[in-house]
Amino acid sequence: MANQSQLGFQDASSPIMEELVEFHDHALMVALAICSLVLYLLTLMLAEKLSSNTVDAQEVELIWTILPAIVLILLALPSLQILYMMDEIDEPDLTLKAIGHQWYWAYEYTDFKDLTFDSYMIPTTELPPGHFRLLEVDHRIVIPMESSIRIIITANDVLHSWAVPSLGVKTDAIPGRLNQTSFITTRPGIFYGQCSEICGANHSYMPIVVESTPLTHFEHWSTLLSS
């Protein structure tokens, strides 16, 4: 959960998000090295008068042509690897279907016979003490931790977007189309997200709450809800 003075990402709770955070740090270090080099060269040019031999040197032209290509390769390779990892969906242990409505989410556990529910934001006047305003819902998604979860996302009316930052998941919900993504939670906890596509007047009132629990707790919860 993000706090008021937080500058970085939320704590990663899935392998994909861990990779995204590492790539972010890697890209920042490359950007820092480039900025330091440019600042050093600007300082050198202001402090010393460079000779014409230095300015016209073919070695310098060769360096400033090859060096950016190397930098792009250092950024592209891990980026492509993460893109392929995010797109790859193995045999899932559990499949969910999320349907975006104005302005709530409906969920279906397709591996169970009658396990469906709507998830509405809890109004501020009805919010229990200690819960987060505009982020808490009346029915949370409950999933088993350390299990491969596939979620199929669509919409019933307008464009929506199902996004949970700490899980590294953000997928558009498009009417008449099924998009899918997958994730694995590495620890138990409650993870918050919101609709990330402007979908109308109450766009900011479509929170997403994912509760990651041990498998035994999930089995007990699913039995109670489907009975």
Side-chain angles (χ1 to χ4, degrees), residues 23 26 30 66-80:
F23 176 70
H26 169 70
V30 173
I66 295 178
L67 192 59
I70 296 175
V71 170
L72 289 176
I73 292 174
L74 291 176
L75 291 175
L77 291 180
S79 175
L80 290 173

PDB file of all heavy atoms in Angstrom, residues 23 26 30 66-80:
ATOM      1  N   PHE A  23      14.277  -3.548 -13.380  1.00  0.00           N
ATOM      2  CA  PHE A  23      14.535  -2.877 -14.658  1.00  0.00           C
ATOM      3  C   PHE A  23      14.454  -1.362 -14.505  1.00  0.00           C
ATOM      4  O   PHE A  23      15.229  -0.618 -15.123  1.00  0.00           O
ATOM      5  CB  PHE A  23      13.537  -3.343 -15.711  1.00  0.00           C
ATOM      6  CG  PHE A  23      13.670  -2.618 -17.023  1.00  0.00           C
ATOM      7  CD1 PHE A  23      14.771  -2.832 -17.839  1.00  0.00           C
ATOM      8  CD2 PHE A  23      12.713  -1.707 -17.428  1.00  0.00           C
ATOM      9  CE1 PHE A  23      14.913  -2.157 -19.037  1.00  0.00           C
ATOM     10  CE2 PHE A  23      12.842  -1.026 -18.627  1.00  0.00           C
ATOM     11  CZ  PHE A  23      13.937  -1.251 -19.436  1.00  0.00           C
ATOM     12  N   HIS A  26      17.700  -0.328 -13.034  1.00  0.00           N
ATOM     13  CA  HIS A  26      18.734  -0.465 -14.065  1.00  0.00           C
ATOM     14  C   HIS A  26      18.698   0.709 -15.051  1.00  0.00           C
ATOM     15  O   HIS A  26      19.734   1.302 -15.377  1.00  0.00           O
ATOM     16  CB  HIS A  26      18.533  -1.796 -14.795  1.00  0.00           C
ATOM     17  CG  HIS A  26      19.348  -1.951 -16.040  1.00  0.00           C
ATOM     18  ND1 HIS A  26      20.717  -2.117 -16.021  1.00  0.00           N
ATOM     19  CD2 HIS A  26      18.993  -1.951 -17.357  1.00  0.00           C
ATOM     20  CE1 HIS A  26      21.176  -2.220 -17.262  1.00  0.00           C
ATOM     21  NE2 HIS A  26      20.141  -2.118 -18.086  1.00  0.00           N
ATOM     22  N   VAL A  30      21.549   3.764 -15.811  1.00  0.00           N
ATOM     23  CA  VAL A  30      22.038   4.124 -17.146  1.00  0.00           C
ATOM     24  C   VAL A  30      21.812   5.605 -17.406  1.00  0.00           C
ATOM     25  O   VAL A  30      22.702   6.310 -17.924  1.00  0.00           O
ATOM     26  CB  VAL A  30      21.334   3.263 -18.214  1.00  0.00           C
ATOM     27  CG1 VAL A  30      21.699   3.748 -19.617  1.00  0.00           C
ATOM     28  CG2 VAL A  30      21.715   1.800 -18.054  1.00  0.00           C
ATOM     29  N   ILE A  66      28.848   4.852 -31.482  1.00  0.00           N
ATOM     30  CA  ILE A  66      28.738   3.484 -30.989  1.00  0.00           C
ATOM     31  C   ILE A  66      28.164   3.443 -29.569  1.00  0.00           C
ATOM     32  O   ILE A  66      27.365   2.567 -29.238  1.00  0.00           O
ATOM     33  CB  ILE A  66      30.110   2.787 -31.049  1.00  0.00           C
ATOM     34  CG1 ILE A  66      30.554   2.649 -32.514  1.00  0.00           C
ATOM     35  CG2 ILE A  66      30.064   1.426 -30.369  1.00  0.00           C
ATOM     36  CD1 ILE A  66      31.909   2.021 -32.676  1.00  0.00           C
ATOM     37  N   LEU A  67      28.569   4.404 -28.735  1.00  0.00           N
ATOM     38  CA  LEU A  67      28.149   4.386 -27.333  1.00  0.00           C
ATOM     39  C   LEU A  67      26.620   4.426 -27.161  1.00  0.00           C
ATOM     40  O   LEU A  67      26.067   3.633 -26.388  1.00  0.00           O
ATOM     41  CB  LEU A  67      28.809   5.539 -26.580  1.00  0.00           C
ATOM     42  CG  LEU A  67      28.706   5.487 -25.052  1.00  0.00           C
ATOM     43  CD1 LEU A  67      29.333   4.202 -24.528  1.00  0.00           C
ATOM     44  CD2 LEU A  67      29.368   6.702 -24.422  1.00  0.00           C
ATOM     45  N   PRO A  68      25.886   5.296 -27.880  1.00  0.00           N
ATOM     46  CA  PRO A  68      24.420   5.258 -27.741  1.00  0.00           C
ATOM     47  C   PRO A  68      23.809   3.924 -28.184  1.00  0.00           C
ATOM     48  O   PRO A  68      22.808   3.481 -27.601  1.00  0.00           O
ATOM     49  CB  PRO A  68      23.945   6.405 -28.647  1.00  0.00           C
ATOM     50  CG  PRO A  68      25.110   7.338 -28.715  1.00  0.00           C
ATOM     51  CD  PRO A  68      26.312   6.459 -28.682  1.00  0.00           C
ATOM     52  N   ALA A  69      24.404   3.296 -29.202  1.00  0.00           N
ATOM     53  CA  ALA A  69      23.884   1.994 -29.637  1.00  0.00           C
ATOM     54  C   ALA A  69      24.055   0.949 -28.538  1.00  0.00           C
ATOM     55  O   ALA A  69      23.160   0.121 -28.304  1.00  0.00           O
ATOM     56  CB  ALA A  69      24.601   1.556 -30.911  1.00  0.00           C
ATOM     57  N   ILE A  70      25.182   0.976 -27.848  1.00  0.00           N
ATOM     58  CA  ILE A  70      25.410   0.043 -26.748  1.00  0.00           C
ATOM     59  C   ILE A  70      24.416   0.293 -25.615  1.00  0.00           C
ATOM     60  O   ILE A  70      23.864  -0.647 -25.026  1.00  0.00           O
ATOM     61  CB  ILE A  70      26.858   0.155 -26.244  1.00  0.00           C
ATOM     62  CG1 ILE A  70      27.844  -0.260 -27.354  1.00  0.00           C
ATOM     63  CG2 ILE A  70      27.072  -0.680 -24.993  1.00  0.00           C
ATOM     64  CD1 ILE A  70      29.294  -0.073 -26.989  1.00  0.00           C
ATOM     65  N   VAL A  71      24.172   1.574 -25.326  1.00  0.00           N
ATOM     66  CA  VAL A  71      23.222   1.926 -24.269  1.00  0.00           C
ATOM     67  C   VAL A  71      21.823   1.416 -24.615  1.00  0.00           C
ATOM     68  O   VAL A  71      21.115   0.866 -23.763  1.00  0.00           O
ATOM     69  CB  VAL A  71      23.212   3.449 -24.050  1.00  0.00           C
ATOM     70  CG1 VAL A  71      22.070   3.852 -23.131  1.00  0.00           C
ATOM     71  CG2 VAL A  71      24.535   3.912 -23.472  1.00  0.00           C
ATOM     72  N   LEU A  72      21.407   1.577 -25.867  1.00  0.00           N
ATOM     73  CA  LEU A  72      20.088   1.101 -26.283  1.00  0.00           C
ATOM     74  C   LEU A  72      19.977  -0.416 -26.155  1.00  0.00           C
ATOM     75  O   LEU A  72      18.927  -0.942 -25.768  1.00  0.00           O
ATOM     76  CB  LEU A  72      19.807   1.533 -27.722  1.00  0.00           C
ATOM     77  CG  LEU A  72      19.558   3.032 -27.934  1.00  0.00           C
ATOM     78  CD1 LEU A  72      19.384   3.330 -29.417  1.00  0.00           C
ATOM     79  CD2 LEU A  72      18.331   3.488 -27.156  1.00  0.00           C
ATOM     80  N   ILE A  73      21.055  -1.124 -26.471  1.00  0.00           N
ATOM     81  CA  ILE A  73      21.046  -2.585 -26.333  1.00  0.00           C
ATOM     82  C   ILE A  73      20.923  -2.982 -24.859  1.00  0.00           C
ATOM     83  O   ILE A  73      20.172  -3.895 -24.506  1.00  0.00           O
ATOM     84  CB  ILE A  73      22.307  -3.182 -26.962  1.00  0.00           C
ATOM     85  CG1 ILE A  73      22.272  -2.993 -28.484  1.00  0.00           C
ATOM     86  CG2 ILE A  73      22.428  -4.665 -26.619  1.00  0.00           C
ATOM     87  CD1 ILE A  73      23.543  -3.409 -29.185  1.00  0.00           C
ATOM     88  N   LEU A  74      21.640  -2.264 -23.978  1.00  0.00           N
ATOM     89  CA  LEU A  74      21.570  -2.559 -22.548  1.00  0.00           C
ATOM     90  C   LEU A  74      20.174  -2.324 -21.984  1.00  0.00           C
ATOM     91  O   LEU A  74      19.776  -2.966 -21.006  1.00  0.00           O
ATOM     92  CB  LEU A  74      22.584  -1.690 -21.790  1.00  0.00           C
ATOM     93  CG  LEU A  74      24.059  -2.015 -22.024  1.00  0.00           C
ATOM     94  CD1 LEU A  74      24.944  -1.025 -21.292  1.00  0.00           C
ATOM     95  CD2 LEU A  74      24.369  -3.434 -21.578  1.00  0.00           C
ATOM     96  N   LEU A  75      19.414  -1.410 -22.600  1.00  0.00           N
ATOM     97  CA  LEU A  75      18.046  -1.162 -22.161  1.00  0.00           C
ATOM     98  C   LEU A  75      17.046  -2.088 -22.841  1.00  0.00           C
ATOM     99  O   LEU A  75      16.052  -2.501 -22.239  1.00  0.00           O
ATOM    100  CB  LEU A  75      17.658   0.295 -22.446  1.00  0.00           C
ATOM    101  CG  LEU A  75      18.354   1.363 -21.605  1.00  0.00           C
ATOM    102  CD1 LEU A  75      17.949   2.749 -22.084  1.00  0.00           C
ATOM    103  CD2 LEU A  75      18.030   1.209 -20.128  1.00  0.00           C
ATOM    104  N   ALA A  76      17.299  -2.429 -24.100  1.00  0.00           N
ATOM    105  CA  ALA A  76      16.319  -3.201 -24.871  1.00  0.00           C
ATOM    106  C   ALA A  76      16.270  -4.665 -24.439  1.00  0.00           C
ATOM    107  O   ALA A  76      15.183  -5.246 -24.352  1.00  0.00           O
ATOM    108  CB  ALA A  76      16.639  -3.102 -26.357  1.00  0.00           C
ATOM    109  N   LEU A  77      17.413  -5.270 -24.169  1.00  0.00           N
ATOM    110  CA  LEU A  77      17.439  -6.701 -23.862  1.00  0.00           C
ATOM    111  C   LEU A  77      16.623  -7.059 -22.615  1.00  0.00           C
ATOM    112  O   LEU A  77      15.741  -7.920 -22.677  1.00  0.00           O
ATOM    113  CB  LEU A  77      18.881  -7.190 -23.741  1.00  0.00           C
ATOM    114  CG  LEU A  77      19.682  -7.212 -25.060  1.00  0.00           C
ATOM    115  CD1 LEU A  77      21.098  -7.710 -24.807  1.00  0.00           C
ATOM    116  CD2 LEU A  77      18.990  -8.085 -26.091  1.00  0.00           C
ATOM    117  N   PRO A  78      16.863  -6.412 -21.461  1.00  0.00           N
ATOM    118  CA  PRO A  78      16.018  -6.757 -20.303  1.00  0.00           C
ATOM    119  C   PRO A  78      14.566  -6.334 -20.485  1.00  0.00           C
ATOM    120  O   PRO A  78      13.653  -6.985 -19.970  1.00  0.00           O
ATOM    121  CB  PRO A  78      16.675  -5.994 -19.141  1.00  0.00           C
ATOM    122  CG  PRO A  78      17.483  -4.928 -19.784  1.00  0.00           C
ATOM    123  CD  PRO A  78      17.928  -5.466 -21.100  1.00  0.00           C
ATOM    124  N   SER A  79      14.324  -5.256 -21.241  1.00  0.00           N
ATOM    125  CA  SER A  79      12.949  -4.824 -21.485  1.00  0.00           C
ATOM    126  C   SER A  79      12.176  -5.865 -22.285  1.00  0.00           C
ATOM    127  O   SER A  79      11.031  -6.206 -21.941  1.00  0.00           O
ATOM    128  CB  SER A  79      12.946  -3.488 -22.225  1.00  0.00           C
ATOM    129  OG  SER A  79      11.643  -3.091 -22.567  1.00  0.00           O
ATOM    130  N   LEU A  80      12.785  -6.395 -23.340  1.00  0.00           N
ATOM    131  CA  LEU A  80      12.122  -7.425 -24.143  1.00  0.00           C
ATOM    132  C   LEU A  80      11.891  -8.693 -23.339  1.00  0.00           C
ATOM    133  O   LEU A  80      10.857  -9.353 -23.482  1.00  0.00           O
ATOM    134  CB  LEU A  80      12.952  -7.725 -25.384  1.00  0.00           C
ATOM    135  CG  LEU A  80      13.010  -6.621 -26.446  1.00  0.00           C
ATOM    136  CD1 LEU A  80      13.996  -6.982 -27.545  1.00  0.00           C
ATOM    137  CD2 LEU A  80      11.627  -6.383 -27.034  1.00  0.00           C
TER     138      LEU A  80
END
